[in-house]
Amino acid sequence: MFIATDLSNRSHCSSMQPISKERLDDQLAHPRTLGSPTFSRRRFESGMLPHQQPSTQERFMIKKRWGLALVTAVVASLALSGCSPSTPESGGPVTLNYWDFLDPSQANPRSKALKENIANFEAANPDIKINLSVVSLGDMLNRLPQSAAAGQAPDVFKMFTPLVPQMAGAGVYSPLPDAASKVKDWLRPTDTLAGPDGKQVAVPYEYRTCALYYNQKILSQIGAATPTTYEEVVDVARKAAAAGFTGFGTGFSDTDNSAIISTFFNCFMTQVDQEIWTGDGQADFATKKGEEFGNFLTKLRDAKALGSNVVSDTYGTVADGMASGTVAMAVLGTERAVSFASQNPDLKWTSLPKASTGDTTGTTIGWTLGIGSGSKHTEAAWKFIEYMTGPEAGAKMATGGEVPTRAATYEQPFFSTPEAKTVNDIAAYVKSNSKPRTYSNNWTSLATGLSQAGQKLTLNGTSGSEFIRSAQDAANKK
């Protein structure tokens, strides 16, 4: 059960119980979380014609009325009960505010698994309720520092691995409790998930790396074999484009932190054994090895194999193109393997093409869970995180194609069933074909620089070396 109402956050007094001041402050600051679990700004717009949409003034008045109603309820309940609101970690019911980019109301496997895991956690922990807010990565990067500065950060939030040091530097995390150090079976080192002081602030929620996805039907139509090198990818993409398809899907939009081009770049740099930063955090990848990435993109451009909307394409639009059968190939994360298989039986995946100066080993990336700065429920927050990264939840998560992060999870019965074959294959691939990386605190600048450099490459015809130099300069710009 996902709850978003403060009336469940009660103290241990008499029958008429007050809500806590902490939760009242949160609701007054964020009235969109009131009411049903899925209450959001869509609640105003759903079912309304354009001329019926509430004005800015009307929205303000609605929020004001919600705030007044809450204040009235608190005053009345306090007067009737003669009690004070409960204090943090008092042992009474707790509501955790949780930010995740996945929407559990959606029908895809990953969303379904998230919904079931939260419901199972709440059933096992009746005194802890989860108030889930669906927040995109781009919005999260903007809102987390602001929320933390205002003392309103979520109790738990999900964050992309390369961004953990940057967000830690912005002060959005609370330190992990001592209980976190008791978990020893992570499959990858966790010391890179740390703040400026070197203390760990997050734990891995799932692992992924990059893979080459291709449409077997398209490749068969143009008489092409599955490419195993980047040079072969360009040749196959050229043929697919001549047949009316997008030969290779990628995008240079800066939406959601330029996810598609930055993820591909991250994996490619590991393939060619190129460090991205120096020891003092300066971006330093405009080398001969790094230029190979830019040269690959320019060859695709010259082969007319990139999408017509590549400048504005995102991770999501490319994935949709693969699912709909209009894109022949793309490099995306391994988390898409299960959903692609259910969406289009022609979609297959394989290891990354071999780079001329490297191999097929990409970067281990993924999502993490951490506790928000100033959370007054750190014990309950860690209990939730430990469950969501533990064996039971990990096995459920794996049904959506995500790779669990703890060794104990793979002892669950699910992983011995035929249904687990795909995720077992993905887990084995992540283990053998990827390795983790240490990140600096300027990932967003780097990602934006890659998008801008890609736009110049497309619109202005810049070279591969100019692409990689431009991205490096953007990452180092103060």
Side-chain angles (χ1 to χ4, degrees), residues 404-419:
T405 56
R406 292 177 55 185
T409 304
Y410 293 90
E411 299 174 6
Q412 292 287 300
F414 167 75
F415 294 94
S416 299
T417 66
E419 291 76 17

Side-chain angles (χ1 to χ4, degrees), residues 197-270:
D197 58 0
K199 294 181 179 179
Q200 185 181 345
V201 295
V203 296
Y205 172 76
E206 55 90 26
Y207 294 134
R208 65 182 67 176
T209 188
C210 302
L212 176 68
Y213 291 90
Y214 61 96
N215 188 307
Q216 184 59 64
K217 183 177 180 180
I218 295 177
L219 266 59
S220 297
Q221 179 179 327
I222 63 176
T226 305
T228 59
T229 67
Y230 282 106
E231 290 295 332
E232 292 176 358
V233 168
V234 174
D235 291 338
V236 174
R238 180 186 291 107
K239 294 177 182 177
F245 302 98
T246 295
F248 187 87
T250 193
F252 301 135
S253 169
D254 60 4
T255 299
D256 273 354
N257 199 43
S258 314
I260 187 166
I261 191 63
S262 60
T263 298
F264 186 14
F265 166 85
N266 194 357
C267 285
F268 194 99
M269 291 300 106
T270 297

Side-chain angles (χ1 to χ4, degrees), residues 101-102 110 158-161 186 188 193 203-209 333-336 364-369 388-389 394 397-398 400-406 410 426 430:
F101 69 94
L102 286 176
R110 294 162 68 203
K158 193 178 282 186
M159 181 52 59
F160 196 45
T161 306
W186 304 110
R188 287 285 193 270
L193 303 175
V203 296
Y205 172 76
E206 55 90 26
Y207 294 134
R208 65 182 67 176
T209 188
T334 48
E335 82 285 349
R336 295 280 174 168
T364 308
I365 48 180
W367 289 85
T368 67
L369 291 176
M388 293 296 283
T389 58
M397 179 183 72
E402 294 177 302
V403 175
T405 56
R406 292 177 55 185
Y410 293 90
I426 297 170
V430 170

Side-chain angles (χ1 to χ4, degrees), residues 11-319:
S11 65
H12 289 296
C13 296
S14 60
S15 58
M16 183 63 75
Q17 307 279 358
I19 64 174
S20 71
K21 181 179 182 299
E22 170 206 345
R23 297 291 295 152
L24 171 62
D25 291 341
D26 181 66
Q27 297 293 23
L28 292 176
H30 304 287
R32 66 181 181 80
T33 61
L34 287 165
S36 70
T38 57
F39 188 99
S40 70
R41 62 178 178 272
R42 293 194 298 271
R43 182 165 177 175
F44 292 115
E45 284 85 3
S46 60
M48 293 184 179
L49 297 174
H51 70 278
Q52 296 173 318
Q53 299 293 333
S55 66
T56 300
Q57 183 177 1
E58 288 170 333
R59 290 174 187 268
F60 172 79
M61 292 305 297
I62 289 169
K63 292 180 179 180
K64 184 176 181 181
R65 285 195 293 270
W66 273 112
L68 290 173
L70 271 171
V71 172
T72 301
V74 171
V75 172
S77 65
L78 287 174
L80 288 171
S81 64
C83 300
S84 300
S86 61
T87 57
E89 306 287 15
S90 63
V94 169
T95 296
L96 297 177
N97 289 314
Y98 172 47
W99 287 10
D100 198 312
F101 69 94
L102 286 176
D103 184 348
S105 69
Q106 299 298 308
N108 65 76
R110 294 162 68 203
S111 293
K112 289 180 179 179
L114 174 63
K115 181 177 182 179
E116 290 185 42
N117 276 337
I118 293 178
N120 290 340
F121 172 79
E122 289 184 326
N125 299 274
D127 285 342
I128 304 176
K129 303 302 178 187
I130 305 302
N131 177 27
L132 172 66
S133 293
V134 180
V135 185
S136 69
L137 175 59
D139 285 345
M140 207 175 291
L141 296 179
N142 291 326
R143 291 170 57 187
L144 274 172
Q146 297 170 358
S147 298
Q152 297 171 345
D155 296 291
V156 180
F157 62 92
K158 193 178 282 186
M159 181 52 59
F160 196 45
T161 306
L163 289 156
V164 171
Q166 182 172 331
M167 289 293 98
V172 306
Y173 286 100
S174 285
L176 292 177
D178 293 340
S181 63
K182 297 179 181 179
V183 180
K184 303 291 187 181
D185 63 338
W186 304 110
L187 297 177
R188 287 285 193 270
T190 59
D191 55 355
T192 60
L193 303 175
D197 58 0
K199 294 181 179 179
Q200 185 181 345
V201 295
V203 296
Y205 172 76
E206 55 90 26
Y207 294 134
R208 65 182 67 176
T209 188
C210 302
L212 176 68
Y213 291 90
Y214 61 96
N215 188 307
Q216 184 59 64
K217 183 177 180 180
I218 295 177
L219 266 59
S220 297
Q221 179 179 327
I222 63 176
T226 305
T228 59
T229 67
Y230 282 106
E231 290 295 332
E232 292 176 358
V233 168
V234 174
D235 291 338
V236 174
R238 180 186 291 107
K239 294 177 182 177
F245 302 98
T246 295
F248 187 87
T250 193
F252 301 135
S253 169
D254 60 4
T255 299
D256 273 354
N257 199 43
S258 314
I260 187 166
I261 191 63
S262 60
T263 298
F264 186 14
F265 166 85
N266 194 357
C267 285
F268 194 99
M269 291 300 106
T270 297
Q271 283 193 265
V272 297
D273 195 26
Q274 173 62 56
E275 292 293 337
I276 298 178
W277 298 276
T278 61
D280 60 0
Q282 283 289 108
D284 185 24
F285 52 82
T287 64
K288 286 296 182 182
K289 290 181 178 180
E291 284 179 10
E292 185 174 349
F293 184 70
N295 291 337
F296 172 67
L297 295 174
T298 60
K299 291 175 183 177
L300 288 171
R301 176 200 63 197
D302 296 342
K304 303 186 185 306
L306 297 174
S308 58
N309 298 314
V310 65
V311 170
S312 59
D313 276 337
T314 65
Y315 202 102
T317 58
V318 171

Side-chain angles (χ1 to χ4, degrees), residues 341-353:
S342 65
Q343 292 170 323
N344 188 334
D346 296 318
L347 295 183
K348 312 295 180 183
W349 68 279
T350 187
S351 61
L352 286 169

